[in-house]
């Protein structure tokens, strides 16, 4: 087993455990073949923790889901835009997931801790405790009032994706499309601009992974924090709407921010395809490209475990040592591996969070 813990920019484990049709009733505390992360496999993989996303799916009665909205087009795909969520529905749903995370912490008996400061995060990494960052993927649950953010901050929120891939009161997310530029719609609303300032004031990380390009540039202009995309890849290697153009990467570099490499095969592969039969070296190509473009100090991982199909060479969280071994074999020394695995996340969070 490797001795380098991997702290990770994105997982959908809370949703996977929450929805019976996804997690099929598995427990976080027992080894399962379902999903990607449970405590046993996390320990096998040297998982140091990560951003635990609270994501609200569209409700069944609005008739939209990722499968039925998908159209295969020549050499690609297009997912018709997800309709906006009802804020009250999003609030209820999110609160359920927040409760789930608190319950995991309690039932873990010290094995998992929700972290609110960089010191707490580093302590967890030293003590082999899984560090969980409470992250909202989409701000629908705030309604249209950025002022609601403060109470969530008090409850432990330390990272916010303004949007998932749908519009809300603050901005527009990119619909999933391949090939496609991320420039798919309009930018921030007035409330969106206020939300970014409020995140800066409180010390909440603003995650740019699902926002469209106009929104990205507006956040870049307003925000005084490093620019971060927790789970996105290089558009030059995989031209999906969800990936980052070279210009966006340059802005992330200039702000001393970072990118978490997404293991979702659809955002890795040149052809945008969804097959798990995708070699591990496809991830390495993105790591190499991003390191070249933004620097070894500004790249990490953002697996999308429990939210996407990942290459079978990783399989699930227990496969992380195989990824580190492949990177080592490709020439990354231990100092570089530590940066990719967790040090860069610690640095960015240190400079973004207030405490
Ligand atoms: Zn996502």
């Amino acid at each position: 087993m490797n001795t380098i813990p991997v702290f990770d920019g994105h997982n959908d484990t809370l949703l996977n455990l929450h929805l019976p049709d996804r997690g099929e009733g598995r427990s976080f505390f027992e080894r399962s073949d379902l999903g990607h992360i449970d405590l046993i496999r996390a320990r096998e993989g040297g998982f140091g923790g990560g951003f635990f996303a609270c994501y609200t799916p569209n409700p069944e009665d609005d008739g939209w889901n990722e499968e039925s909205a998908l159209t295969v087009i020549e050499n690609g795909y297009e997912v018709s835009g997800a309709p906006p969520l009802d804020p009250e529905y999003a609030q209820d749903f999110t609160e359920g997931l927040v409760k789930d995370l608190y319950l995991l912490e309690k039932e873990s008996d010290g094995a998992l801790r929700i972290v609110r400061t960089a010191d707490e995060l580093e302590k967890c990494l030293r003590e082999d405790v899984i560090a969980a960052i409470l992250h909202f993927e989409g701000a629908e649950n705030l309604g249209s009032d950025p002022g609601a953010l403060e109470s969530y901050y008090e409850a432990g929120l330390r990272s916010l994706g303004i949007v998932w891939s749908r519009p809300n009161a603050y901005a527009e997310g990119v619909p999933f499309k391949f090939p496609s530029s991320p420039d798919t719609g309009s930018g921030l609303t007035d409330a969106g601009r206020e939300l970014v300032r409020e995140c800066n004031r409180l010390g909440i990380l603003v995650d740019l992974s699902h926002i469209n390009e106009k929104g990205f540039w507006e956040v870049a202009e307003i925000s005084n924090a490093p620019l971060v995309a927790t789970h996105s890849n290089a558009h030059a290697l995989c031209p999906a709407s969800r990936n980052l153009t070279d210009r966006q990467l340059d802005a992330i570099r200039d702000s001393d921010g970072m990118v978490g490499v997404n293991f979702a095969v659809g955002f890795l592969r040149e052809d945008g395809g969804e097959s798990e039969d995708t070699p591990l070296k496809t991830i390495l190509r993105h790591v190499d490209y991003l390191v070249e473009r933004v620097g070894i100090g500004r790249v990490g991982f953002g697996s999308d475990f429990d939210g996407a199909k990942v290459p079978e060479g990783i399989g699930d969280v227990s496969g992380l040592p195989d990824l580190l071994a492949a990177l080592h074999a490709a020439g990354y020394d231990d100092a570089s591996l530590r940066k990719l695995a967790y040090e860069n996340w610690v640095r960015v969070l240190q400079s973004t969070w207030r405490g």
Side-chain angles (χ1 to χ4, degrees), residues 233 238 262-286 309-315 323:
N233 292 332
C238 168
N262 194 320
F263 303 166
V265 292
F267 305 145
L268 288 168
R269 294 169 63 104
E270 256 171 69
D271 64 2
E274 275 292 313
S275 169
E276 283 151 347
D277 182 12
T278 295
L280 212 52
K281 70 167 192 292
T282 319
I283 297 183
L284 268 63
R285 286 180 59 233
H286 282 269
K309 281 187 187 166
V310 304
E312 57 197 7
I314 289 197
L323 174 62

Side-chain angles (χ1 to χ4, degrees), residues 7 57 61 71 78 102 108 133 158 162 164 166 173 248 252 290 303 305 313 348:
F7 185 80
D61 58 12
T71 312
E78 207 175 319
Y102 272 91
S108 77
I133 293 176
R158 289 297 178 275
I162 300 173
W164 183 69
R166 58 164 96 84
Q248 289 178 302
I252 286 172
L290 292 167
S303 67
F305 279 143
V348 162

Side-chain angles (χ1 to χ4, degrees), residues 26-281:
R26 72 188 177 97
S27 157
F28 184 73
F29 300 103
E30 281 162 32
R31 191 179 219 291
S32 173
D33 295 326
L34 300 167
H36 292 140
I37 297 180
D38 54 50
L39 185 59
I40 319 303
R41 285 180 290 174
R43 284 187 167 142
E44 282 173 23
F47 182 66
F51 292 64
F52 281 65
C54 295
Y55 159 71
T56 305
N58 281 72
E60 264 168 43
D61 58 12
D62 80 0
W64 187 92
N65 64 63
E66 274 178 70
E67 293 74 40
S68 68
L70 176 75
T71 312
V72 176
I73 54 171
E74 210 187 330
N75 301 319
Y77 60 85
E78 207 175 319
V79 176
S80 68
L85 292 181
D86 170 50
E88 268 178 51
Y89 165 78
Q91 198 175 357
D92 285 351
F93 198 91
T94 305
E95 253 148 50
L97 295 177
V98 173
K99 270 194 201 130
D100 288 352
L101 182 59
Y102 272 91
L103 206 59
L104 282 189
E105 181 185 49
K106 189 167 163 231
E107 291 178 347
S108 77
D109 219 1
L112 179 146
R113 215 175 289 151
I114 300 169
V115 294
R116 294 166 182 78
T117 67
D119 284 351
E120 285 174 10
L121 168 56
E122 287 187 289
K123 189 165 184 283
C124 285
L125 289 167
R126 275 197 308 274
E127 296 175 356
D128 283 332
V129 170
I130 293 175
I133 293 176
L134 179 59
H135 167 77
F136 290 170
E137 190 168 30
E140 283 86 352
N141 58 318
L142 302 177
S144 51
D145 174 19
L149 201 59
E150 190 150 1
S151 60
Y152 285 111
Y153 179 86
E154 298 303 331
L157 182 74
R158 289 297 178 275
S159 173
L160 173 71
I162 300 173
V163 281
W164 183 69
S165 288
R166 58 164 96 84
N168 65 21
Y170 303 101
E172 279 186 28
V174 278
F176 301 103
K177 195 175 172 190
F178 182 99
S180 167
S181 144
D183 189 9
T184 57
S186 48
L188 301 178
T189 63
D190 287 342
R193 282 181 275 276
E194 201 185 324
L195 184 64
V196 174
R197 288 188 202 101
E198 190 67 358
C199 284
N200 284 172
R201 183 181 75 80
L202 292 166
I204 292 175
L205 181 140
V206 176
D207 176 21
L208 296 163
S209 268
H210 282 265
I211 202 164
N212 68 20
E213 197 172 350
K214 282 198 178 68
F216 177 100
W217 291 117
E218 288 188 55
V219 174
E221 199 166 307
I222 296 168
S223 179
N224 60 23
L227 300 177
V228 175
T230 58
H231 58 305
S232 292
N233 292 332
H235 196 270
L237 300 184
C238 168
S241 55
R242 270 279 283 102
N243 286 338
L244 298 157
T245 65
D246 286 346
R247 270 189 72 218
Q248 289 178 302
L249 291 170
D250 292 348
I252 286 172
R253 177 198 60 212
D254 294 345
S255 75
D256 211 8
M258 72 179 282
V259 185
V261 174
N262 194 320
F263 303 166
V265 292
F267 305 145
L268 288 168
R269 294 169 63 104
E270 256 171 69
D271 64 2
E274 275 292 313
S275 169
E276 283 151 347
D277 182 12
T278 295
L280 212 52
K281 70 167 192 292

